[in-house]
Structure formats: structure tokens, C-alpha cells
Amino acid sequence: MTGTATGPMTGMMTASDFRSTLLIFFFAAATTPGSAGSGPDPGDGRIAPRTVSMTQAVGDLQIKQGYHLKAWIGANGTIGQGAYGNFLPPDGIGMEYPVGSRIEHLYGAGLWIGAIIDTGGPGTGSKTHAVTKAYNWGETGVQHEMYGYQTPRDTFFITGVNDRGTPNLAGYDDDGDGEVDEDELDGHDGDGDWRPDLDDVGSDGVHDTLEVGCEGSYDASSNPDPAHDDYSPALRDVCHPDRSGNYPRQNSVYSYTEKNGVGDAGEPGVDEDYGAVSERDVSIAYTDVFTDPVVTGHVPLGIRVWQKSYAWQNLVTQPILAMEYTIINAGSKTLDSVYIGFFVDPLIGNVNLPDITNHKYSAYIPELRTAYAHTVYDRAATPVGVVVLGTPRPLTELRYTFNWNRFEDNPGTDREHYDLMAAGRIKTDEPQNPGSDSQFLLAFGPFETMAPGDTLEIALALISGDGVEIGPNSLIENARRAYSLYSSGYRLPVVPPSPPLRVADGPGTVVIDWSWSPDDLTPDPLSTWDDSSAFLSSLPDTHWRRADPPAGHAAGGRIFEGFRLWRSESPEFDPGSFGLVRQYDVDDDLDFEYDGGLEFSFTDSNLLRGKKYWYAVTSFSIPGVSVNVIPLPDDPGSTRIDTLYSPSSESDIGANATLVQLPFSPSDGPGQVLVVPNPYRVDANYTFESGGWEGRSIDWNELKRTIWFIHLPPRAVIRIFSLSGDIVATLDHDDAGRTDPGRPGGQEEWDMMSASGRVIASGVYVFSVESEYGTQIGTFAVIR
């Protein structure tokens, strides 16, 4: 089925019935995915690879990408179930969020590229409107019109900033040859190791010795550049005159790609070190010029696409999958009035629920240039969206189209698809209870001309969230985060470090101090500098955030905004148990947060002796700030500025978390020792949740039962007797040298076990405390 168009169904079955039936077939076929793989699933989200090299080039037809949001990506340019051609992937889900939830999002999605091209010879004026589609599903069935694996150099390239097993970090000389990021994904080879028989073969894809151009065949002396694709600034391209008949100089490294010093993918003579951007970069190359499979009616544009996707596990925890497309006109024809689209064929809901095919709706958020699909039928379901992040033209200058259709109404011809992409119309959002099977297209352009060798770079992001609008992890918030991430060049947020924390306790009080001094081992949070902040770079150099920059830093500024003081009364460290006590933030002219001013100490009072308290102070930054220019549809040519604020970065609450247990005051004379609780009732609840000290109720067991002897002298021997005079247990108490905050002085715990390891019975017990103050005798009771 891969790459072929399925004809319309006949008989009594409707198009929607066909769609639902095919979904059932997908599940039945999941264990035999046809051409999707060459072996068993190795358990890491990939079909068994054909090749794996030290640069992690993976010869699969599809691969799973992402951490918090996971999606299948295919060598056919498709994302979702369609990455497997027309077969369901082994895990049954095209895109899942949250991971492990079994919530599906995508039948398929992929890039559309539309252009006007010449179909006749030079000077004939014969043109056609062509659209190449990585994925489409209309009444005629599934369409894939881009494919990789047409040459051995087409493969998935995988790397990541934390993958130290291969040289891969962006911005570093990983291989020690004095050059930085010499890889085909980054686009530069600075060490000059070109091999004429292997490297830099130009936009036509063949070596000079094999080329035939407008002046004949290759001749080393008389015609060394027959296709005129060499980068030769002093020469003119006599084979490709412009529209005015002039011969352009061969001085563009993008148009004249041979001998231009830019590496082409898969050239073995290039020193490749894969400059990674995210914790998992996945790249794939594909083209719309192919011989297998045969796609009836496909009019190729002659394009080649590098698709890169970036995913983060720890540094970005929101469901954002950034996608970058480098579209190269590798053909011989000029592409005019180019439009780019992203077609999304959603499937929203838990895959185990019936009839989710028809339980979805599509909508558009114009101020964020974000289209999405969601459902109201499954409360646990999460949406899927696509946001336009960047193009060579300012986003305000583009014409946008948002259109949703029931799949049986999706237009079928290239001309209809091109006219739809170029329409510049925003369709009214689909009703939230549609009861139909629909998809949406988000398109934008035009990009006027792509001559042979020209490159067009587009940035998008696939996003999700807990909902569309509400909450800190909504789709709208994640669209804003994606903008901020892209505008910073995918530089992850700089986090100011937690300050040093010093804690001192007194009678019923704790004094916390977090002032920084040069003697502290941690950096000063107030000095935290972020080079990537365009907002801070725009401030005057005299502003405190910009003044006296650290050596080697010119752009950006100090991002510190304030401190947050946290407290927990949990018996053990639990990050989720901390509650905010105070917030202190910078009082300056930027009006972030409350402008209440900074403080560096706090006294917590009215605390209970013997109880455990955790304290932590975190540092947080100013919010991420990016500017979104929004065109006004009712006033052509006018715009408004929308400042997008993404959440502040904040240090980890566990970085300086400190435990304090207020001690009972020690005895300073005879007769001051007490036993608590007295009586001890077995039917009472002494766990943390009930204000006691026997740990959390979820972890409690009989061995957690505890009686305390409090107000003890610094050194003492405690003996416990039965009423008949038999000794039950002996405890040695010594406060000297105690540094564990969980075992303060002046007290001793007893687990209510006899010296022989047996649980004591109900009754009255006698205790004695022998110390420098003499011997104190007392009693306590245990009631079972």
C-alpha cells in the first residue's frame, strides 16, 4: 500500500466506514508491518537497524522521536502512524502524550510544498501548479510523495548533547583538529579535506567528470564545469540566465554548491562531528524525485529536504517537538510563488475507546500562528498542535491559510491544493462536537522564487499540553514556550543557582540566612548572566543587569529576579511537600513579579519542639521574553506587538534543602524528664498526617511505634521496668557529638521493644533516669 493511491470505495460502504474499517485493519496488521522493518523490535523504539555507525546513522524506514511527547517519524517525511506507510506501528500509536497514557494524536502529518513550475522547454511559457505532499489522506486514499533511501547516503542521523560516546557537541572542536562543527547537518567543513572523487558534488548530485551541461560534456581543460554549479565568483553562469536574460555571477554558495566549502550529506571525505542542539537530534533527508514506488500523477518539484527534529528529556520538560526543514531546489527548474503547508490528520483520544475517529475538532489561534485539534469526548485526552516558528521572511509578511475538511471533502488535484494553500483564508473553527472525520491544513507564504540550488529554511513545532487554554502546561503556554525556545536559538534557559543556606535554631524558632559571600563555594545567584537574552541585550549598558559584564560576555545580561523560601514538615525529604513561605524579588524598573525588594534572612517562629522542619531557598530568573508581531486582519498592513512571556527558570528545591528538628531543652536539674505520649494508646494515630512523629501513614507499620523521653540531661542511662521489677530495656543517652539534625539533643526515642526483641504488652511501666543530677523515677502507661 505504501505510496499508492487507493481508489474510492464502492458499494454500500461509506468513506467514513472505510476510514474506521482501515483503522481496525491497522491494528490487525500491527504485528506484521510489511515493509516497515527488517527484523524484530529491539526495544528502543526502532525497528531493528540495518546499519549503525559511530555517528549513529540508523538505516531504518522510521524511528520514534521524543521523550515527554513521542512520535514516529518516517523516511517518507511523515509523522505519526503514516510513518509506517499505511500500517500501524508496533506500539499502536502514531504520537503519544503523556507517554504511557495510550492517548493517540496522529494518523499522520507532514510537509506540503507548493509552487508554480515550468512544464515545457525554455521559452514555452508552459507552467503548472504542483504540490508535493509528504502526507495526505483524502477520498482517494493515502498519498506519500516524498521518500528517502533513494541513495545510500539517505538515513537517519541521531545525536544528542549528552551523548559523549561520539563527538557531537555544537560549538566545540570535538575532534581536536582546530575546527568547530564540521558536519553536513551543521553545513561547514573547515579543514579542507575535500576529496574530488567523493566530496562536494553540487546541486545536480553528480561529479564534474560525469556532468553534461549547456556547453557539452566535461573536459578538464576546456569545459571543467559543464553544469555551471561550481562556486566561482569571477565567472558568470551562461547556462542559467535570469528572467531578464542576464547571466548571473557564480558567487552564491547556496546556488553554486560545488566547490563552495559546504559539505553535502554522506560525503566520506568530510570531517563530520555532528553539532548537537538537543538531548536527541534526529535528522533525515528525502526527496520528491524518486522511481520507487510509482505514485500516479505525481509532478515532482525537484526538491530535497533535510528534516531535523529536536527533543529534550530533562532540560525542556514540556511536550514540544521542534522541527526544522531545509528545502533545497536540487532540480533544474525555477520554483515560483512557493507556499509551505503542514497537513495534520489527527486522531484524538485513548486508542482503546471506540470510534475516536469521529471524536475531534480543529481550530486556530491567530496570534500564535498555531493550529490544533482536540476532543471533548475523552476527558483524559490531550490536544495536538503545530506552531509556525520561523521562515526567511518576517512572519508578519506572510499570508496564512487555516482550513479544515472532512477527509472525504479534501480536494484532490495539485491545482486545488495549491489554490487552497495560497488562499490566505482562516476558516472558522470546527464545532467542538463535529461527529465527523476531519483534518486541517496550516499553510503560509509566498516565498517568491527558488532558483536551482536555492535553499528555503522553515521552523515549526509539534506541541501538546494538558488542555488548550487552562493551566501552566496548556497548549497555548507551550506554543509560547516553543517561540521562546526558537528565538533563543534553542539555547536552554539559564538557571540561577540556589544560594548558600545557613540555619540556626532557638527556643521555638528557626533563623534562615541565605546571604552570599565570596567565600561560598556556589556562584552568586545575582550575577547569573544569560548571553542569549535579546530582551536584556536591548537594555542600556548602564542598567544594572548589563553593567560590568563578566569577561568575554557582551550580549545578554543578568537574569536573576528573586528568591523563594520554602518549608516542609514532612518527616523525610519530599520535594512535593514544600509550601511557599515567602517570595522576595528585585525592585527595579522592569516590573516583573511584585517588586517587593530582596531580603536575605527570615525567622520562623511558633514552632513545635521535637518536630521536623525542612527549609529551602530557590533562585528564579526573569521570565523568558520574546516579541510576537501580529498582523491585524481588519486593517491590512497594520500590526500590533504582543510580548510573550515564558515561565521563569528556577533552581532545584533540593539544592540546599536543610532539615531542622527543634530540640527539647535538656535538664538542668533533677526531676525534669517526661515521657510522651503518656499514656501511649495503640488505637491512636501518631503518624505525620495526624501531627505525630511516627512517619508517613503510607509507610507506617508496627515497627514504627515510638515513645520519647524528653528534657533529658546531656548524659544519662534510662532503664525501663515492669511493675514486677523485671528490667525491660536499657537506653544509653549522650548528647555529646550529636550532629544529626534528625536526632537533636535533650531527647531519646524508644521503639517499645524489649531487650529480647519482643513488643511490650499493655500495662504500666516504671522508668528511671540516672544522671549527674541523681536518679529520677517515673511511670508511663501503654494501652492496647
Side-chain angles (χ1 to χ4, degrees):
M1 295 175 65
T2 302
T4 60
T6 306
M9 300 297 290
T10 59
M12 298 300 293
M13 180 176 285
T14 67
S16 183
D17 291 336
F18 164 61
R19 177 87 153 178
S20 299
T21 301
L22 191 53
L23 178 62
I24 296 172
F25 168 70
F26 279 173
F27 277 95
T31 56
T32 56
S35 62
S38 56
D41 186 345
D44 62 353
R46 294 185 286 103
I47 296 301
R50 291 191 290 271
T51 60
V52 178
S53 72
M54 69 168 293
T55 52
Q56 295 181 270
V58 181
D60 297 338
L61 296 177
Q62 54 283 310
I63 197 166
K64 187 183 282 188
Q65 165 67 321
Y67 294 102
H68 305 283
L69 173 156
K70 288 191 175 183
W72 284 97
I73 295 177
N76 54 10
T78 298
I79 304 168
Q81 293 181 11
Y84 268 78
N86 297 345
F87 291 91
L88 199 69
D91 60 6
I93 300 177
M95 173 182 145
E96 185 181 32
Y97 177 76
V99 170
S101 66
R102 303 292 294 170
I103 295 175
E104 173 63 289
H105 296 83
L106 287 178
Y107 270 122
L111 200 67
W112 284 17
I113 305 171
I116 301 173
I117 63 172
D118 290 322
T119 54
T124 64
S126 179
K127 296 180 179 293
T128 190
H129 296 72
V131 178
T132 284
K133 299 169 283 289
Y135 176 87
N136 184 42
W137 194 343
E139 181 65 20
T140 57
V142 182
Q143 292 175 312
H144 302 289
E145 296 176 344
M146 299 188 196
Y147 284 91
Y149 302 101
Q150 300 303 305
T151 68
R153 63 202 253 174
D154 296 329
T155 186
F156 287 100
F157 292 89
I158 308 169
T159 189
V161 296
N162 296 324
D163 181 7
R164 303 306 174 111
T166 59
N168 59 5
L169 287 179
Y172 292 89
D173 176 18
D174 303 300
D175 56 5
D177 68 352
E179 303 294 339
V180 172
D181 294 343
E182 309 137 286
D183 63 273
E184 73 271 18
L185 307 186
D186 183 74
H188 299 283
D189 173 50
D191 59 4
D193 62 357
W194 303 113
R195 293 179 53 183
D197 58 331
L198 295 172
D199 293 339
D200 205 11
V201 297
S203 60
D204 60 0
V206 297
H207 311 291
D208 278 342
T209 54
L210 304 176
E211 287 178 354
V212 176
C214 66
E215 296 178 323
S217 300
Y218 173 82
D219 182 273
S221 300
S222 62
N223 195 21
D225 183 23
H228 282 264
D229 60 1
D230 285 3
Y231 175 68
S232 304
L235 302 180
R236 292 189 179 273
D237 181 358
V238 299
C239 286
H240 305 99
D242 61 24
R243 294 184 179 184
S244 301
N246 299 316
Y247 298 125
R249 290 193 180 276
Q250 296 177 208
N251 59 1
S252 168
V253 295
Y254 302 105
S255 300
Y256 300 94
T257 56
E258 188 159 358
K259 298 180 172 58
N260 64 353
V262 177
D264 297 315
E267 296 178 341
V270 177
D271 184 10
E272 300 161 347
D273 62 2
Y274 294 84
V277 172
S278 71
E279 289 167 274
R280 180 175 166 88
D281 294 12
V282 174
S283 300
I284 180 64
Y286 46 84
T287 179
D288 78 334
V289 180
F290 50 84
T291 57
D292 180 30
V294 175
V295 179
T296 304
H298 169 53
V299 178
L301 296 173
I303 58 170
R304 181 174 177 83
V305 179
W306 262 108
Q307 174 188 306
K308 298 190 237 182
S309 61
Y310 307 130
W312 295 266
Q313 180 177 19
N314 300 308
L315 305 176
V316 176
T317 58
Q318 290 77 25
I320 298 172
L321 188 62
M323 313 286 297
E324 287 191 347
Y325 296 90
T326 299
I327 303 163
I328 306 165
N329 183 355
S332 59
K333 296 180 180 179
T334 297
L335 308 179
D336 288 323
S337 300
V338 177
Y339 280 85
I340 301 299
F342 200 80
F343 181 83
V344 177
D345 188 6
L347 182 65
I348 309 294
N350 191 290
V351 294
N352 298 319
L353 296 178
D355 197 29
I356 63 172
T357 303
N358 296 322
H359 292 173
K360 58 190 174 184
Y361 69 90
S362 300
Y364 183 63
I365 308 169
E367 61 270 21
L368 293 175
R369 299 175 181 90
T370 298
Y372 69 92
H374 198 25
T375 181
V376 296
Y377 289 88
D378 182 355
R379 290 180 179 270
T382 54
V384 60
V386 57
V387 52
V388 181
L389 299 179
T391 79
R393 293 184 61 189
L395 298 182
T396 55
E397 296 180 5
L398 300 176
R399 180 185 303 143
Y400 295 88
T401 293
F402 167 71
N403 188 79
W404 58 268
N405 278 101
R406 294 169 177 83
F407 86 91
E408 61 266 28
D409 298 328
N410 189 8
T413 68
D414 270 12
R415 180 57 190 262
E416 289 174 315
H417 282 138
Y418 182 89
D419 289 346
L420 177 61
M421 295 172 72
R425 291 194 300 266
I426 304 298
K427 189 172 182 178
T428 303
D429 292 351
E430 189 176 8
Q432 293 191 4
N433 294 281
S436 64
D437 190 359
S438 61
Q439 309 97 43
F440 69 79
L441 173 70
L442 176 59
F444 47 93
F447 304 95
E448 298 299 339
T449 301
M450 287 185 68
D454 280 357
T455 297
L456 176 61
E457 295 186 345
I458 303 296
L460 308 169
L462 280 173
I463 58 174
S464 187
D466 296 338
V468 174
E469 298 178 352
I470 300 174
N473 188 41
S474 67
L475 179 134
I476 286 179
E477 282 299 307
N478 290 331
R480 294 172 181 266
R481 287 187 177 96
Y483 268 115
S484 179
L485 192 63
Y486 174 75
S487 64
S488 68
Y490 301 110
R491 295 183 181 180
L492 299 173
V494 176
V495 182
S498 292
L501 195 62
R502 289 169 285 273
V503 178
D505 59 79
T509 64
V510 171
V511 179
I512 307 104
D513 181 277
W514 58 92
S515 56
W516 181 87
S517 73
D519 295 331
D520 289 315
L521 299 178
T522 58
D524 181 5
L526 277 70
S527 300
T528 307
W529 190 279
D530 182 3
D531 294 298
S532 68
S533 174
F535 169 75
L536 293 178
S537 294
S538 68
L539 297 177
D541 289 344
T542 55
H543 197 283
W544 76 270
R545 293 186 181 274
R546 294 268 302 147
D548 299 323
H553 297 268
R558 296 176 180 87
I559 62 167
F560 174 84
E561 177 61 18
F563 298 113
R564 293 189 175 109
L565 170 64
W566 305 85
R567 186 181 74 182
S568 168
E569 299 179 13
S570 171
E572 62 275 333
F573 176 71
D574 175 9
S577 68
F578 281 80
L580 182 63
V581 178
R582 292 285 191 279
Q583 175 172 309
Y584 309 95
D585 56 272
V586 172
D587 183 7
D588 64 6
D589 55 351
L590 300 186
D591 294 327
F592 294 126
E593 297 295 334
Y594 304 109
D595 290 347
L598 294 179
E599 295 185 22
F600 297 89
S601 66
F602 177 77
T603 300
D604 201 9
S605 56
N606 297 320
L607 304 177
L608 299 178
R609 293 182 181 274
K611 193 168 185 177
K612 293 182 179 180
Y613 298 92
W614 291 89
Y615 293 93
V617 176
T618 57
S619 304
F620 65 94
S621 71
I622 64 172
V625 183
S626 56
V627 174
N628 187 21
V629 182
I630 303 171
L632 301 177
D634 298 331
D635 188 5
S638 298
T639 60
R640 69 177 174 87
I641 302 297
D642 185 17
T643 303
L644 300 179
Y645 297 97
S646 57
S648 303
S649 60
E650 186 171 1
S651 60
D652 192 287
I653 206 166
N656 59 17
T658 302
L659 172 63
V660 177
Q661 186 172 6
L662 294 183
F664 294 96
S665 56
S667 298
D668 57 6
Q672 298 178 12
V673 178
L674 299 176
V675 176
V676 292
N678 190 8
Y680 184 99
R681 300 184 60 92
V682 175
D683 59 353
N685 189 336
Y686 299 114
T687 62
F688 163 69
E689 288 79 3
S690 297
W693 52 84
E694 291 184 347
R696 291 184 176 275
S697 58
I698 192 172
D699 300 321
W700 188 90
N701 57 58
E702 286 289 335
L703 299 179
K704 297 291 181 70
R705 295 191 183 279
T706 304
I707 281 178
W708 283 9
F709 295 86
I710 63 174
H711 300 307
L712 288 166
R715 296 185 63 180
V717 176
I718 306 165
R719 291 185 173 87
I720 298 124
F721 303 89
S722 67
L723 285 179
S724 61
D726 296 327
I727 190 164
V728 176
T730 301
L731 308 175
D732 290 319
H733 171 75
D734 188 351
D735 285 342
R738 282 197 177 186
T739 58
D740 182 0
R743 294 182 59 82
Q747 67 187 59
E748 194 69 44
E749 300 176 15
W750 181 45
D751 59 8
M752 302 171 63
M753 302 284 288
S754 69
S756 61
R758 297 180 180 181
V759 177
I760 64 172
S762 298
V764 176
Y765 293 83
V766 177
F767 72 88
S768 69
V769 179
E770 301 171 14
S771 70
E772 59 180 309
Y773 304 119
T775 300
Q776 176 184 344
I777 304 296
T779 61
F780 65 91
V782 175
I783 302 174
R784 294 187 178 273

